Amino acid sequence: MIADDDEKWLAAATAAVKQNAFYMQRAIDSNNLKDALKFSAQMLGELRTSKLSPHKYYELYIRASDELRSLEMFFRDETARGCSIAELYELVQHAGNILPRLYLLCTIGSVYIKSKDVTAKDILKDLVEMCRAVQHPLRGLFLRSYLAQVTRDKLPSIGSELEGDTETHMDALEFVLQNFTEMNKLWVRMQHQGPTREKEKREKERNELRDLVMTVGKNLHILGQLEGVDLVVYRDTVLPRILEQVVNCKDELAQCYLMDCIIQVFPDDFHLQTLDVLLGACPQLQPSVDIKMVLSGLMERLSNYAASSVEALPNFLQVDAFSKLNHAIGKVVEAQVDLPASASVTLYLFLLKFTLHVHSDRLDYVDQVLGSCVSQLSATGKLCDDKASKQIVAFLSAPLEKFNDVVTILKLTNYPRVMEYLDHDTNKTMAIIIIQSILKNDTRIATADEVDALFELIKGLIKDFDGLTDNDEIDEEDFQEEQNSVARLVHFLYNDDPEEMSKIIFRIRKHILTGGPKRLPLTIPPLVFSALKLIRRMRGGDENPFGDDTSTPQKILQLLTETVEVLSDASASELALRLYLQCAQAANDCELETVAYEFFTKAYLLYEEEISDSKAQVTALRLIIGTLQRMRVFNVENRDILTHKATGYSAKLLKKPDQCRAVYECAHLYWAEEGENLKDGERVVLCLKRAQKIADAVQKMANASRGASSTGSVSLYVELLNKYLYFLEKGNPQVTGETIQSLAELIRSETKKAESGAGTFITSTLRYMEFQRQQEDGGMSEKYQKIKMEWFE
C-alpha cells in the first residue's frame, strides 16, 4: 500500500516538474528571465515534498536537477548579453520558498564563480552558509549534494582556471569540509526522527541514500581529487577534521561508511604516512561498528600498494606499519569487550595476510601475529563457535598457502598454541590441511625435531582428545580416510643420512603408538616399511659406523619386534603376522639369522594362538611358506625346524583341499635354486606324495557323495601334475616319468568315471607336455621323453 502511494505521489510530482520545466524552457527560448525564474521556482517547489521515500525522492531530484542545466546555461547567456551577474544573484533570492530559492542560488552561484567578477571564496562561503536554512534531513542532503555537484569544477585548486594562492586553496578545502560536516549531520539526524518502531525503516532509507548518490562521501571524493591536497595538508588539516566528525557523530552506520570512504578515496601513501592517526580513531568508534571491515579494507589497500610497487616497501619499514597495525588491533579488541571471538580472529587474520604480503621474509612478524591471537583466545578457552573455528582454520591456513612449505610453519612457535583452541573436529580438519600441504608440495620432513613438531600439530589425528570416549560416534569412512592420510605422511618423513633417519623412525613410533587399537592397524604398517627401507640401506653387518647403538639394523629390528607386538594386542593378528614375515625378510637380507628366526617364531605363535578362521589360516600359511622359501640365512637345523612346522600346519588345515594344496606348496621349501645344500629331492617327492594321498581321500569322498558327474576334485590331481612337471624341469632326479605317467593315468581314469569331458586345465597341461616332447633343444625334450604319452591319444 505504501509503495503504491509512493508511486502515485512520484507520478504527480514528476508531472508537475515536467509541466513547469516545459514552461521554463519556453521562457528561456524567448529570453523571458522573469517567467524562467517563476516556472523554475515552481518546478523546484516539488522537491519540498515529505511524502516520498529516499529512492523515489532521488528520481524526482534527478529529473529536476537535469532541467536546471538549461537554466544554468541561460544564466550564462544572459551575462554574456550584458545582464549583471550580481543582479541575477540578488534576483533569485526573491523566490518565495527557501528550498527553490537555494537551488536557484546554487545554480547562479556556479555561474558567478566562473565569471570571476567576485572571489570564489565569498560565493562558496555564502552558499554553504545559506544552505543551513534547510534542516530537513532528506531535502537538506540533496540540496547540499547539488551544491557539491555544481561547484565541483569551480573550486580554486592547483591546475584549475580559478587557481590562486595557497590561501585560496585552503578556502576551497574549507568549503568542502564544511559541506561534508553539514551533510553528515543531516544524514545522522535521519536516524533520530520519527517513532522508535520505525528505526529499521529509517536505517534502510539511510542505506538507500548512501548507495544511490553517495551523498556524504561525495565530498570526500572531491577532497581526494583536489590538486592542492598534498601529504602535509592531508595530515595536518583534512584527516583530523574528517576523523573529528566521524568520531563525534557517534553513529554506527555513518562511522563505518565514512571510514571506508577515507580508506578508498585518498592515496595509499597518505594512509601509510598517517597510519597512527587513522588507527588511533578506531578504538573510539562505536562498539557496534564492524571494525574488522574497516581495518581489513585498510590492510588490503596497503597490501596491494606494497605488491604494486617495490619502491614502497622501505616506507613500510620506515613507518613501522606492522607494529602500528598490531598495536591498533590490540587496542580495538581491548576497547570492545563484547567483541565476538570470530571478529577478533578475523582482525588478526587480515593482519596476518598483510604481514605475509608485505613482510613475507619476516617469520618473526608472522609468529608475533600468531602470538597476539593466542593472547586474545586465552580469555575464551576452547572455541565452540563454528564461525570462530572456521576463521581459525583460515588464519592457520594463510601461512601454509603463502609458503607452501610445512617446514617453515614448524619454525613458528605460536602455531601449535593457536591450534590448541580448536575443538576436536576442527583440529582434525586443520591437521588434514597440513598433511595435504605436505603431500601436494612434496615436502620432506628431514629431522627428528621437525617430526616431533609436526606430530604436535596433527595430534588430533594421532590420538583422541581428552573427554572423548570410544562410544562417541565416528564415521568409519572418514576415519579410514584420515588415518590413510597419516599413513601416506609417514613416507614423507625421510632423511638420506641413516643415523638421522633412525632417530626419525624412533620419534614416529613414539607418537603413533599413542593412537590406540583402532588406529594402529592403519598407521603401524607404513612405519614398519619405512624402517625396513632404512635397514636395507644400512645392510652390511653388525658394526655401527655411527657409534650409536640405536642406529644398527639389529636395534631397529628389535624396535620393530616391539612395535608389531602391539598389533597382536590390538586384535590385528593377521596383519601382525604379515609384518613379522616382512621383518624376517629384512633380517635375511642383513644376514641376521637369530633375528630372522625370532620373527618366524613370533609369526608361528600368532598362527597357532590367534588365527582360527580357516580362510585366514590358508592365507597366512601361504605367506609363511612363500617367505620361508626365500630365506637363505638359516642353517640346516633352524631351516628344518621351521619347515617341519610349516608342513605340520599344512596337514592340520580344516578342509582337505586346502591341506592338499598347502602340503604340495611345502615341497618348495626343500628345493631352492640357489645352493645345492637347499635341494632335497626326496623330501620334495615325499611332500607331493602326501599331497596326493590327501587328494585321493578327497576324490573318494567325491565319488561316494556325487550322484551325478563332478570333476571338482580331479583339479587337485591336475595341480599336483603341474607341480611334478615343475620339479622335473628344475632337475629333481627323484621325479620320474613313471610317477608322472601314473598320475596322468589316474586323472584320465577319474575323468572317465565322472562321465564328463576333460577340463580346460588338464587339456592345457597335456598339450604343454606334448609341446615339450616335440622340442628339439635337447635337455627339456629328453626329460619329457621319459613320460609315455600314448594314453593322450
Side-chain angles (χ1 to χ4, degrees), residues 564-687:
V564 178
E565 278 179 0
V566 178
L567 277 181
S568 57
D569 297 335
S571 302
S573 303
E574 295 175 37
L575 177 59
L577 184 142
R578 288 172 179 268
L579 294 178
Y580 277 137
L581 295 177
Q582 289 288 341
C583 294
Q585 288 188 62
N588 176 77
D589 294 341
C590 295
E591 300 180 0
L592 301 173
E593 181 182 8
T594 305
V595 179
Y597 189 84
E598 181 183 354
F599 280 120
F600 261 96
T601 302
K602 290 183 177 294
Y604 282 170
L605 191 62
L606 279 178
Y607 179 86
E608 293 171 359
E609 297 181 356
E610 301 294 338
I611 301 178
S612 57
D613 180 75
S614 60
K615 289 184 178 180
Q617 285 180 335
V618 171
T619 302
L621 195 53
R622 284 177 177 170
L623 290 170
I624 289 173
I625 294 170
T627 305
L628 183 57
Q629 194 269 338
R630 291 192 294 273
M631 302 295 286
R632 300 292 178 265
V633 71
F634 294 131
N635 58 35
V636 175
E637 182 182 355
N638 287 337
R639 187 176 184 86
D640 282 348
I641 293 172
L642 295 174
T643 302
H644 178 72
K645 279 193 173 186
T647 308
Y649 295 149
S650 301
K652 294 178 182 178
L653 290 173
L654 179 64
K655 298 178 180 179
K656 289 291 184 181
D658 291 335
Q659 289 181 16
C660 176
R661 292 185 175 98
V663 170
Y664 72 58
E665 291 293 348
C666 285
H668 289 280
L669 298 178
Y670 299 104
W671 192 271
E673 293 187 35
E674 303 90 351
E676 290 299 324
N677 59 332
L678 297 178
K679 294 180 180 179
D680 190 337
E682 290 184 3
R683 289 193 177 186
V684 169
V685 173
L686 182 61
C687 282

Side-chain angles (χ1 to χ4, degrees), residues 314-381:
N315 295 335
F316 282 86
L317 296 172
Q318 182 182 357
V319 301
D320 198 10
F322 168 77
S323 297
K324 289 178 180 178
L325 287 167
N326 193 17
H327 178 73
I329 291 174
K331 285 292 183 183
V332 168
V333 172
E334 182 182 335
Q336 300 189 9
V337 291
D338 296 329
L339 193 68
S342 59
S344 59
V345 172
T346 302
L347 284 173
Y348 285 112
L349 170 60
F350 286 118
L351 177 59
L352 182 60
K353 288 183 176 179
F354 166 82
T355 307
L356 293 171
H357 274 93
V358 181
H359 304 292
S360 58
D361 58 330
R362 294 293 299 269
L363 281 183
D364 56 326
Y365 281 1
V366 176
D367 206 30
Q368 193 173 333
V369 178
L370 294 169
S372 298
C373 187
V374 169
S375 300
Q376 173 59 25
L377 292 173
S378 60
T380 63

Side-chain angles (χ1 to χ4, degrees), residues 99-118:
L99 190 63
R101 183 192 313 159
L102 290 174
Y103 271 102
L104 292 172
L105 195 63
C106 292
T107 305
I108 189 62
S110 68
V111 178
Y112 204 174
I113 295 172
K114 200 80 170 177
S115 70
K116 300 183 182 180
D117 290 348
V118 69

Side-chain angles (χ1 to χ4, degrees), residues 150-161:
V150 297
T151 58
R152 184 170 188 167
D153 57 343
K154 285 88 176 177
L155 297 176
S157 61
I158 298 173
S160 73
E161 60 180 283

Side-chain angles (χ1 to χ4, degrees), residues 714-727:
V714 179
S715 63
L716 288 176
Y717 288 138
V718 181
E719 292 171 22
L720 270 170
L721 176 60
N722 278 272
K723 285 297 174 184
Y724 273 111
L725 295 176
Y726 170 82
F727 287 109

Side-chain angles (χ1 to χ4, degrees), residues 84-147:
S84 171
I85 187 67
E87 291 179 3
L88 284 175
Y89 191 71
E90 292 293 332
L91 182 61
V92 297
Q93 298 186 46
H94 293 159
N97 292 306
I98 186 65
L99 190 63
R101 183 192 313 159
L102 290 174
Y103 271 102
L104 292 172
L105 195 63
C106 292
T107 305
I108 189 62
S110 68
V111 178
Y112 204 174
I113 295 172
K114 200 80 170 177
S115 70
K116 300 183 182 180
D117 290 348
V118 69
T119 61
K121 171 186 175 181
D122 293 335
I123 300 298
L124 293 174
K125 184 177 180 181
D126 195 29
L127 293 176
V128 78
E129 289 291 341
M130 282 197 286
C131 283
R132 286 185 176 178
V134 179
Q135 289 298 310
H136 185 278
L138 186 61
R139 295 196 289 268
L141 274 171
F142 278 95
L143 172 62
R144 288 189 173 273
S145 178
Y146 180 71
L147 173 62

Side-chain angles (χ1 to χ4, degrees), residues 212-228:
L212 284 172
V213 290
M214 297 188 300
T215 47
V216 182
K218 181 182 290 187
N219 293 280
L220 299 184
H221 280 271
I222 294 172
L223 281 173
Q225 294 174 0
L226 283 177
E227 293 295 335

Side-chain angles (χ1 to χ4, degrees), residues 432-681:
I432 290 173
I433 290 173
I434 292 171
I435 293 176
Q436 287 175 342
S437 175
I438 293 174
L439 302 182
K440 177 183 176 182
N441 298 297
D442 197 20
T443 305
R444 181 189 291 189
I445 311 299
T447 69
D449 291 340
E450 289 175 355
V451 169
D452 279 338
L454 175 61
F455 274 89
E456 178 65 23
L457 295 182
I458 64 168
K459 61 185 178 183
L461 297 177
I462 303 301
K463 60 182 180 181
D464 292 328
F465 278 23
D466 296 336
L468 293 179
T469 65
D470 292 338
N471 296 325
D472 291 338
E473 235 177 273
I474 298 176
D475 186 281
E476 287 299 325
E477 186 175 342
D478 289 345
F479 180 80
Q480 290 277 346
E481 187 176 346
E482 292 167 1
Q483 298 309 305
N484 286 338
S485 296
V486 176
R488 288 194 294 271
L489 171 67
V490 171
H491 297 290
F492 285 80
L493 313 179
Y494 181 79
N495 195 304
D496 291 324
D497 176 31
E499 183 178 15
E500 187 62 33
M501 188 62 199
S502 298
K503 294 178 182 178
I504 290 175
I505 295 294
F506 277 78
R507 299 288 179 89
I508 297 173
R509 178 182 182 274
K510 179 186 73 173
H511 292 286
I512 281 181
L513 290 186
T514 63
K518 195 169 183 179
R519 290 183 175 85
L520 294 179
L522 298 169
T523 53
I524 282 182
L527 168 63
V528 171
F529 283 103
S530 183
L532 294 179
K533 183 178 179 181
L534 171 63
I535 289 170
R536 290 186 170 93
R537 285 168 52 204
M538 297 168 62
R539 186 191 314 169
D542 298 336
E543 292 187 9
N544 175 20
F546 311 113
D548 181 357
D549 289 343
T550 63
S551 300
T552 62
Q554 297 95 315
K555 288 293 183 181
I556 298 175
L557 287 168
Q558 178 60 37
L559 178 78
L560 293 181
T561 302
E562 299 167 1
T563 304
V564 178
E565 278 179 0
V566 178
L567 277 181
S568 57
D569 297 335
S571 302
S573 303
E574 295 175 37
L575 177 59
L577 184 142
R578 288 172 179 268
L579 294 178
Y580 277 137
L581 295 177
Q582 289 288 341
C583 294
Q585 288 188 62
N588 176 77
D589 294 341
C590 295
E591 300 180 0
L592 301 173
E593 181 182 8
T594 305
V595 179
Y597 189 84
E598 181 183 354
F599 280 120
F600 261 96
T601 302
K602 290 183 177 294
Y604 282 170
L605 191 62
L606 279 178
Y607 179 86
E608 293 171 359
E609 297 181 356
E610 301 294 338
I611 301 178
S612 57
D613 180 75
S614 60
K615 289 184 178 180
Q617 285 180 335
V618 171
T619 302
L621 195 53
R622 284 177 177 170
L623 290 170
I624 289 173
I625 294 170
T627 305
L628 183 57
Q629 194 269 338
R630 291 192 294 273
M631 302 295 286
R632 300 292 178 265
V633 71
F634 294 131
N635 58 35
V636 175
E637 182 182 355
N638 287 337
R639 187 176 184 86
D640 282 348
I641 293 172
L642 295 174
T643 302
H644 178 72
K645 279 193 173 186
T647 308
Y649 295 149
S650 301
K652 294 178 182 178
L653 290 173
L654 179 64
K655 298 178 180 179
K656 289 291 184 181
D658 291 335
Q659 289 181 16
C660 176
R661 292 185 175 98
V663 170
Y664 72 58
E665 291 293 348
C666 285
H668 289 280
L669 298 178
Y670 299 104
W671 192 271
E673 293 187 35
E674 303 90 351
E676 290 299 324
N677 59 332
L678 297 178
K679 294 180 180 179
D680 190 337

